[in-house]
Amino acid sequence: MPVITFGYEDLLSLFGRDMDIKEFAEKIPMIGVSVEKIEGNEVSIEVFPNRPDLLSVEGMARAMRAFFGIESGLKRYEVEPPEISLTVDKSVRDVRPYVVAGVVKNVEMTDELIASLMEMQEKLHLSVGKGRKKMAIGVHDFDKVTPPFVYRAVKPDEISFVPLAMEERMNLAEILARHEKGIAYAHILNNFEKYPVILDRNGEVLSFPPIINGQLTALNEQTKNIFIDVTGTDRTAITTALTIVATALAERGGILQQVEVVDDEPVATPDLSPQHNELHIPYVQKLLHLQDGESICEALQKMGHHTIVTGDTIMVESPVWRPDILHPVDLIEDIAIGYGYEVFEEELPHAMTFGSSLHPDRLHQIMIGLGFNEVVTLSLSNPEKEFEKMGIDAGETVELSNPISVEHTIVKRSLLPSLLEILSKNRHNDLPQRIYEIGDVVIFEKGNVLQKTMLSGMKIDAKASFTECKSFVEALVKNLGFTMDVREEHHPSFIEGRCASVLINGTKAGYFGELTPQVICNFDLEHPVIAFEIDLSALFSPHEK
Amino acid sequence: MMEALSPWEKKLLLALAEHEGTVTPEEVDMELVKTMNASSWLQSKGLVECSDSYSYSFQLSKEGETFLRDGLPEKNLLHGLERERIRTIEERLGKKEAKIAIGWAKRKGWCDIVVENGEKFLIITDKGKRERNQTQPEEEVLAKIKNKQYDVDEKMLQMLLKRGAVKKLKGNLTRKITLTEEGWKVVRKGITLDEEVSQLTAELIKRYAQRGELPKLRKYDVTAFAPSVYPGKLHPLTQLIEKIRKVFSEMGFAEIKGSYLEPCFWNMDALFIPQDHPARDMQDTFYCKKPATMKVDGKLIDAIARVHENGGATGSIGWRYNFDRSEAERVLLRTHSTVNTIRYLYHHPSPPAKVFSIERVFRRENIDSTHLPEFHQIEGIVHEEGASFSMLKGLLKEFYARMGFTQIRFRPSYFPYTEPSLEIEIQWNGRWIELGGAGIFRPEVTIPFGVEEPVLAWGLGLERMAMIVLGLSDIRMLYFSDLQWLNELPLL
């Protein structure tokens, strides 16, 4: 989840009121963020992905002003109508179809503003932009270029310009090959014949989205007026990002002015008109047990919404920078947060239901009674451990397509290899060692995937025999109320003539015996090992375990 | 105290009294092993003091024998020499032998090496000329060792050990047993050797039954050490799971179970997790190469696709993107057990229902002290008419109180499938620790399956709770357990 970092003093100056940093650390989580770290003046806050509007210090201050009652309700900004335009050429449709833009005038370039702009762009690119793929932002010194602007796709060698952090002109292909950002984001433009650019009237390049801006429009301390472009593949994402960046600048005193984006139809962006939702008070009452319409509205206002009550319905106007409101239920959460999670009364369910448990109690009882220690092992494993070391053919097994290590590439089919591994890790401990596990494995049976529950046990000692193993298995099966038959079994992990299968009611339910010296050595063990594995799924339906 | 002494201990005390309080085991008329054991026990009781010393014996190695017979190599080297080319010496003795002999001769100051016209020469010093015909101290020591006389110069001995001329043999333990003040007190009180029996046998019982005879049964020192035995037991993780099962079933919850392998549809899509959500990334989730797909009812996919695209009939605007249907049947290792509860709701859409599961889930994580690629989640739902946020809070509070955690708080959180969502934190050692998430299932999740009443849901971490309860700092202890650690660990 994205984390934003800012200066606490900067936050307080935007917040407009003093607050002890300890109080902040205690109260801010109740808005719906986590305090990651506080070091002196530097604060790092983790923001949930549904609230990109909190990914800037300005947005955080705005939410706090509403939440702490300094300026509750919907925050409205003055927006001047468009004076300039950005034309969208059809050539961008295949590669990166959408663009919105805005102008912010009279900006005072402070260190805090520059730091905040960089931080919010980076974090928005990551979360809303999914690594710039879905959305990317460009911020420019407006006075260095001449409108109107055009957004079009060109061939990689058709245009060259000086990109940020470079001194020479490079064409688009060269930027992807050599520029640090080009290398980092080239994959987004893979497989496209033309790349998108934003040009001014004189053909000067503002940006090569989503890769890099031109050096020409780089911001500096003298910058007064800012042009913002947001391009991408998802309309909601670019609209959200533009309103978040533009209103953040407005929070610091900038004057917002729209840009006419001319696509099939011209639209003026950013469009800050609120979203409208109808919220039925009985719905709120049902989920939150809040009776009083007034406190519901108050809670909504603390979360930055405007409310108009009509009978049983609240007309809610919500800020456009809140893309997370998909359903009235999202407003209900805001009511709960505004009201205060800690304030809600607690109650218990009323419905009468019967409890039950799947704990394989009897199995554990028998195994513990036989002096075995239960162990727990991972279900993920690898063919070397499961098959090679056990001396068996691989056969069919569940394979991962994106394992994270060579240790864990498949899902195990038997518990025995993992039990051997436990013994192997316990060579320094006294003998005898008796261990067992009840756990699930996944096997292929006639092409179908089946998850089965196994009970497997193992004993290592200076002496350990087939007969002793048979005694254990018999004790287990008898105490479960079954009678067992035994048939000689040939299993490559077991010594020939010292392995048997267990038959219960005529069905094969498992096997046991003495492991071969080869298997014992493969797990770096030095003493005889007896082992058994019983398929519990063959004995019980899940509820009988 | 007196009564708690074994006959052997008494015998040893008597022998000590006879020898004015100090003996070596050899001086006692008892089996050596018995004397050693008895003295150790008496020492643990504070009646004697044992001082042990090891004495070593030595032996000449093959090389040492040669040194003794033929003289030291450095001495032989210098024999009859004034000056010679190093290369000639090497040719005569072999490179290795020459190097050793020259090394020792140089160390003793018997020779110098000079370079003339690029050629190295060995020149014998006056000291060399003087000493080369004398018997060397090494040779004296070697001769003594050969005669099993080990009272030799320690420095010289160490040097010969280093030269490999002498070998150290296994040491012999020499014990000196001395009565302590406390021991003298016991001896002075007088020690009597009665006929005593330590082990009650069937034969003695029979004799007692028939004839009423019973020899004196020796008293035990009840404070004495007894060897440890360990019962077989449940793994601590299972013990904790069992406790949680008990709490939930007592609260009226029925346990359910699901599968490791799930299609994206149930694990992700049905839970309204958009297809570009980071949790669905190859970075975070294990996908299966085999089996790569699993059949899902096409009608269900259609219904859920609509919910993602435009909200369908749920009253939501949806995520507004083009849902890729082929993705729905792709197989993954379940990333959360919420997949169990959504499947349950699909099959049981009518309230009331209270179910829980404690099962393994998988995340694409490298193993370290706080991460594993698989771990357990404690999952549950309450589906009933009138289920509310207050009920969710109350229920979780009740659960954790029954688990022994009374300091608990809830704060806003986010999950794609619940609204409102909350995070549960408990106070532990003065810190708030996150234990899990919860919320009310979104209409986008419940309505497509005909579930009309609110469903309270939670997914809590088991391993983190286990680490708190067991005081563990390394999660690997649970899955790669040391058996001795398990043996020593008390039951929860």
Side-chain angles (χ1 to χ4, degrees):
Chain A
M1 265 180 282
V3 173
I4 61 152
T5 301
F6 52 80
Y8 189 61
E9 279 167 21
D10 189 28
L11 176 77
L12 285 187
S13 77
L14 289 158
F15 180 49
R17 198 181 276 182
D18 199 25
M19 186 190 270
D20 185 69
I21 199 155
K22 274 200 189 121
E23 191 189 344
F24 168 80
E26 205 169 292
K27 285 187 172 164
I28 200 71
M30 299 321 282
I31 269 189
V33 293
S34 300
V35 177
E36 177 90 357
K37 189 168 71 182
I38 294 180
E39 274 174 0
N41 183 47
E42 198 179 272
V43 178
S44 293
I45 299 286
E46 189 179 42
V47 176
F48 293 115
N50 61 326
R51 290 296 304 270
D53 62 304
L54 301 180
L55 283 176
S56 70
V57 61
E58 297 85 358
M60 189 72 74
R62 175 172 59 204
M64 284 170 63
R65 285 171 66 81
F67 192 74
F68 294 107
I70 300 171
E71 192 181 8
S72 62
L74 180 66
K75 174 86 185 201
R76 294 176 203 270
Y77 299 89
E78 288 295 319
V79 191
E80 295 177 359
E83 284 174 9
I84 64 157
S85 74
L86 166 66
T87 303
V88 184
D89 190 85
K90 303 259 180 291
S91 57
V92 297
R93 285 217 171 140
D94 292 332
V95 49
R96 201 169 176 84
Y98 308 121
V99 64
V100 286
V103 171
V104 189
K105 298 192 296 189
N106 271 339
V107 179
E108 192 194 340
M109 293 301 285
T110 59
D111 291 348
E112 287 81 11
L113 173 78
I114 292 170
S116 170
L117 262 178
M118 286 175 57
E119 177 78 358
M120 88 177 85
Q121 279 187 82
E122 188 191 328
K123 300 303 149 76
L124 286 169
H125 280 157
L126 211 64
S127 60
V128 181
K130 311 285 177 206
R132 298 195 188 185
K133 190 172 190 298
K134 201 169 171 183
M135 177 285 292
I137 304 159
V139 182
H140 310 273
D141 188 333
F142 183 48
D143 301 318
K144 298 282 168 64
V145 278
T146 321
F149 304 129
V150 63
Y151 177 50
R152 76 149 62 105
V154 297
K155 286 191 184 135
D157 56 356
E158 195 177 322
I159 279 181
S160 66
F161 67 102
V162 182
L164 274 181
M166 288 292 195
E167 281 168 7
E168 45 169 338
R169 291 182 79 89
M170 300 166 88
N171 70 31
L172 306 185
E174 287 167 342
I175 289 173
L176 292 190
R178 279 168 36 211
H179 194 283
E180 181 202 346
K181 299 287 175 197
I183 294 163
Y185 296 103
H187 62 272
I188 301 173
L189 295 176
N190 249 350
N191 306 327
F192 291 108
E193 281 172 17
K194 289 182 167 183
Y195 301 154
V197 285
I198 297 173
L199 306 170
D200 83 344
R201 191 166 100 180
N202 306 322
E204 296 284 1
V205 177
L206 280 80
S207 80
F208 168 24
I211 312 296
I212 191 83
N213 287 350
Q215 180 65 40
L216 176 69
T217 57
L219 301 187
N220 59 42
E221 279 129 48
Q222 280 73 49
T223 303
K224 276 249 90 52
N225 303 307
I226 290 178
F227 176 78
I228 310 163
D229 77 76
V230 188
T231 59
T233 56
D234 183 283
R235 274 190 203 280
T236 314
I238 60 168
T239 307
T240 303
L242 176 66
T243 54
I244 289 169
V245 177
T247 57
L249 289 168
E251 285 287 334
R252 291 194 187 262
I255 296 161
L256 300 181
Q257 189 183 60
Q258 290 179 316
V259 171
E260 190 176 58
V261 178
V262 187
D263 204 339
D264 290 336
E265 278 172 49
V267 282
T269 66
D271 178 2
L272 296 184
S273 36
Q275 335 169 32
H276 296 270
N277 274 293
E278 276 183 28
L279 187 59
H280 295 284
I281 293 174
Y283 186 39
V284 184
Q285 288 169 340
K286 183 174 170 163
L287 288 184
L288 299 182
H289 288 194
L290 290 181
Q291 298 307 322
D292 166 19
E294 205 171 309
S295 53
I296 295 172
C297 289
E298 203 178 295
L300 280 167
Q301 285 152 20
K302 280 174 80 175
M303 295 302 287
H305 305 277
H306 179 65
T307 57
I308 306 151
V309 183
T310 327
D312 246 4
T313 303
I314 306 173
M315 293 299 303
V316 184
E317 287 185 8
S318 306
V320 67
W321 51 87
R322 287 287 306 273
D324 59 310
I325 298 162
L326 308 180
H327 186 280
V329 77
D330 293 298
L331 295 170
I332 288 185
E333 180 175 79
D334 270 24
I335 295 167
I337 297 172
Y339 188 72
Y341 273 27
E342 66 283 13
V343 186
F344 284 89
E345 303 257 324
E346 281 143 17
E347 57 177 301
L348 288 170
H350 306 306
M352 161 66 194
T353 53
F354 293 97
S356 66
S357 147
L358 300 179
H359 183 60
D361 203 16
R362 293 184 301 158
L363 297 166
H364 283 302
Q365 240 182 57
I366 299 165
M367 292 313 297
I368 288 168
L370 290 172
F372 282 69
N373 246 331
E374 192 205 10
V375 295
V376 175
T377 66
L378 297 182
S379 315
L380 295 174
S381 188
N382 59 75
E384 190 202 350
K385 177 173 129 196
E386 296 299 309
F387 311 126
E388 274 173 49
K389 285 184 164 182
M390 298 300 287
I392 55 183
D393 293 333
E396 281 193 304
T397 175
V398 174
E399 288 170 45
L400 302 186
S401 59
N402 58 335
I404 194 163
S405 78
V406 289
E407 290 286 300
H408 303 118
T409 57
I410 62 171
V411 178
K412 66 191 183 187
R413 279 190 332 205
S414 161
L415 302 180
L416 296 182
S418 302
L419 292 185
L420 279 165
E421 198 174 62
I422 292 274
L423 293 182
S424 180
K425 287 194 188 327
N426 278 283
R427 273 173 303 172
H428 59 284
N429 284 321
D430 291 344
L431 297 182
Q433 293 169 7
R434 285 180 290 262
I435 55 171
Y436 79 101
E437 181 173 18
I438 298 177
D440 282 9
V441 300
V442 184
I443 58 158
F444 278 86
E445 217 169 73
K446 294 172 195 139
N448 294 319
V449 181
L450 280 181
Q451 186 167 329
K452 293 186 161 194
T453 306
M454 299 288 181
L455 163 55
S456 303
M458 219 168 249
K459 180 188 172 185
I460 182 166
D461 201 357
K463 280 183 193 163
S465 71
F466 175 84
T467 311
E468 190 185 5
C469 195
K470 187 172 178 184
S471 302
F472 284 138
V473 175
E474 236 162 28
L476 173 67
V477 173
K478 269 191 200 162
N479 276 286
L480 292 172
F482 296 105
T483 48
M484 80 176 200
D485 291 314
V486 162
R487 194 181 292 158
E488 193 180 341
E489 175 77 70
H490 308 281
H491 190 298
S493 306
F494 291 84
I495 297 173
E496 180 65 21
R498 297 188 179 194
C499 177
S501 51
V502 178
L503 289 102
I504 294 169
N505 298 332
T507 316
K508 187 177 160 183
Y511 53 97
F512 65 91
E514 288 179 40
L515 293 178
T516 64
Q518 185 62 55
V519 171
I520 292 169
C521 291
N522 287 346
F523 285 90
D524 295 323
L525 296 169
E526 292 161 347
H527 295 93
V529 180
I530 50 175
F532 64 86
E533 181 150 87
I534 308 289
D535 175 3
L536 298 174
S537 323
L539 303 188
F540 314 100
S541 78
H543 288 277
E544 285 174 316
K545 264 185 243 154
Chain B
M1 172 57 84
M2 171 59 207
E3 285 151 331
L5 294 175
S6 76
W8 298 113
E9 287 168 347
K10 286 180 185 173
K11 268 193 172 171
L12 178 58
L13 286 177
L14 288 170
L16 276 161
E18 226 170 88
H19 288 82
E20 278 145 22
T22 303
V23 291
T24 62
E26 291 75 18
E27 292 169 317
V28 184
D29 183 20
M30 274 163 58
E31 252 180 85
L32 188 63
V33 182
K34 295 254 160 65
T35 309
M36 293 302 264
N37 284 342
S39 61
S40 296
W41 283 110
L42 285 172
Q43 174 161 260
S44 74
K45 290 169 186 169
L47 301 183
V48 306
E49 210 39 88
C50 297
S51 72
D52 293 343
S53 63
Y54 283 86
S55 62
Y56 294 95
S57 53
F58 300 89
Q59 196 179 28
L60 296 193
S61 69
K62 246 191 195 163
E63 229 175 347
E65 295 278 2
T66 319
F67 288 179
L68 190 60
R69 194 178 60 238
D70 305 337
L72 295 172
E74 60 269 29
K75 217 170 134 180
N76 298 338
L77 169 74
L78 266 59
H79 192 74
L81 270 188
E82 280 293 324
R83 106 188 214 125
E84 188 160 20
R85 288 199 324 185
I86 299 273
R87 210 168 339 144
T88 318
I89 300 174
E90 283 176 355
E91 276 159 20
R92 192 174 60 217
L93 297 178
K95 224 172 179 165
K96 205 175 141 201
E97 292 299 315
K99 200 178 160 198
I100 293 169
I102 294 170
W104 283 102
K106 261 197 83 181
R107 207 172 300 178
K108 288 181 173 170
W110 289 356
C111 67
D112 283 323
I113 291 167
V114 294
V115 182
E116 282 171 25
N117 303 328
E119 189 76 54
K120 280 193 207 161
F121 287 88
L122 185 85
I123 299 173
I124 312 301
T125 60
D126 290 344
K127 189 168 185 257
K129 285 174 197 160
R130 216 168 40 243
E131 290 182 0
R132 64 183 169 189
N133 294 323
Q134 295 168 3
T135 305
Q136 296 301 310
E138 288 97 325
E139 291 165 334
E140 281 170 27
V141 170
L142 287 171
K144 270 188 142 179
I145 288 173
K146 174 105 178 154
N147 291 329
K148 300 198 188 317
Q149 290 172 278
Y150 307 129
D151 55 335
V152 296
D153 178 48
E154 183 61 26
K155 242 171 99 182
M156 199 53 73
L157 178 65
Q158 287 306 323
M159 197 174 76
L160 286 168
L161 280 167
K162 234 171 98 184
R163 283 187 83 165
V166 172
K167 284 193 292 198
K168 195 177 192 175
L169 299 178
K170 218 179 149 201
N172 286 319
L173 174 69
T174 320
R175 173 168 283 190
K176 206 172 80 186
I177 308 163
T178 312
L179 268 179
T180 60
E181 206 45 46
E182 204 57 37
W184 277 115
K185 275 187 209 160
V186 173
V187 169
R188 279 190 215 109
K189 274 190 199 156
I191 293 172
T192 45
L193 286 168
D194 302 329
E195 192 217 350
E196 276 189 350
V197 171
S198 59
Q199 186 71 51
L200 185 61
T201 60
E203 203 180 318
L204 289 176
I205 293 169
K206 195 171 159 197
R207 204 195 323 164
Y208 176 73
Q210 288 170 346
R211 289 181 262 162
E213 285 174 20
L214 192 64
K216 190 160 190 261
L217 291 171
R218 186 163 63 80
K219 284 196 174 185
Y220 273 93
D221 172 5
V222 294
T223 63
F225 161 86
S228 303
V229 289
Y230 302 103
K233 56 190 170 191
L234 288 182
H235 189 276
L237 210 50
T238 311
Q239 291 176 46
L240 187 62
I241 290 176
E242 183 50 2
K243 198 168 165 187
I244 295 165
R245 278 191 165 117
K246 198 157 166 262
V247 168
F248 273 125
S249 45
E250 281 169 0
M251 288 167 75
F253 285 78
E255 187 170 357
I256 58 170
K257 191 171 158 52
S259 310
Y260 292 170
L261 272 64
E262 286 281 359
C264 284
F265 179 83
W266 287 110
N267 192 87
M268 304 284 190
D269 302 334
L271 289 164
F272 199 50
I273 301 172
Q275 290 185 320
D276 70 349
H277 193 277
R280 302 181 64 143
D281 219 78
M282 296 287 281
Q283 288 300 317
D284 294 323
T285 297
F286 285 123
Y287 288 92
C288 291
K289 182 157 73 186
K290 189 180 173 186
T293 60
M294 259 182 198
K295 193 84 201 114
V296 180
D297 182 350
K299 280 194 200 121
L300 282 179
I301 300 181
D302 286 345
I304 294 302
R306 279 196 295 278
V307 175
H308 280 240
E309 286 173 347
N310 55 35
T314 63
S316 168
I317 56 173
W319 291 117
R320 287 152 294 149
Y321 70 100
N322 288 325
F323 184 89
D324 177 0
R325 268 148 226 258
S326 66
E327 193 69 8
E329 297 192 330
R330 193 169 166 204
V331 179
L332 46 71
L333 295 186
R334 70 173 168 216
T335 61
H336 51 186
S337 42
T338 318
V339 60
N340 294 354
T341 46
I342 190 63
R343 273 185 180 272
Y344 180 87
L345 281 173
Y346 168 62
H347 291 290
H348 306 84
S350 312
K354 295 202 304 237
V355 297
F356 77 103
S357 73
I358 308 166
E359 289 218 282
R360 278 178 200 232
V361 298
F362 301 81
R363 302 271 169 93
R364 201 167 171 276
E365 302 264 18
N366 267 313
I367 296 185
D368 62 30
S369 63
T370 53
H371 295 94
L372 287 173
E374 50 181 287
F375 52 92
H376 289 77
Q377 267 184 346
I378 308 162
E379 191 80 29
I381 52 168
V382 171
H383 178 207
E384 69 171 66
E385 208 178 312
S388 70
F389 188 69
S390 297
M391 214 180 259
L392 181 60
K393 270 185 76 179
L395 185 91
L396 290 167
K397 197 164 183 180
E398 178 70 23
F399 166 71
Y400 279 107
R402 282 168 182 248
M403 292 303 294
F405 299 104
T406 47
Q407 291 268 68
I408 180 168
R409 76 172 183 187
F410 304 103
R411 58 188 189 84
S413 185
Y414 173 75
F415 307 101
Y417 40 93
T418 55
E419 199 79 359
S421 306
L422 58 83
E423 210 143 277
I424 304 131
E425 291 181 319
I426 57 143
Q427 186 136 62
W428 192 258
N429 292 338
R431 274 180 54 219
W432 286 106
I433 298 177
E434 254 175 60
L435 278 191
I440 303 178
F441 274 146
R442 296 184 66 98
E444 291 93 330
V445 173
T446 51
I447 290 176
F449 299 122
V451 174
E452 304 283 346
E453 292 299 327
V455 178
L456 315 178
W458 57 92
L460 317 171
L462 175 73
E463 277 76 2
R464 188 174 281 195
M465 200 200 282
M467 286 170 82
I468 292 172
V469 171
L470 298 168
L472 286 185
S473 57
D474 192 334
I475 196 170
R476 289 169 289 199
M477 297 274 279
L478 295 171
Y479 286 85
F480 308 96
S481 300
D482 184 88
L483 296 177
Q484 194 55 26
W485 173 69
L486 291 180
N487 279 336
E488 301 285 350
L489 204 62
L491 294 181
L492 290 183

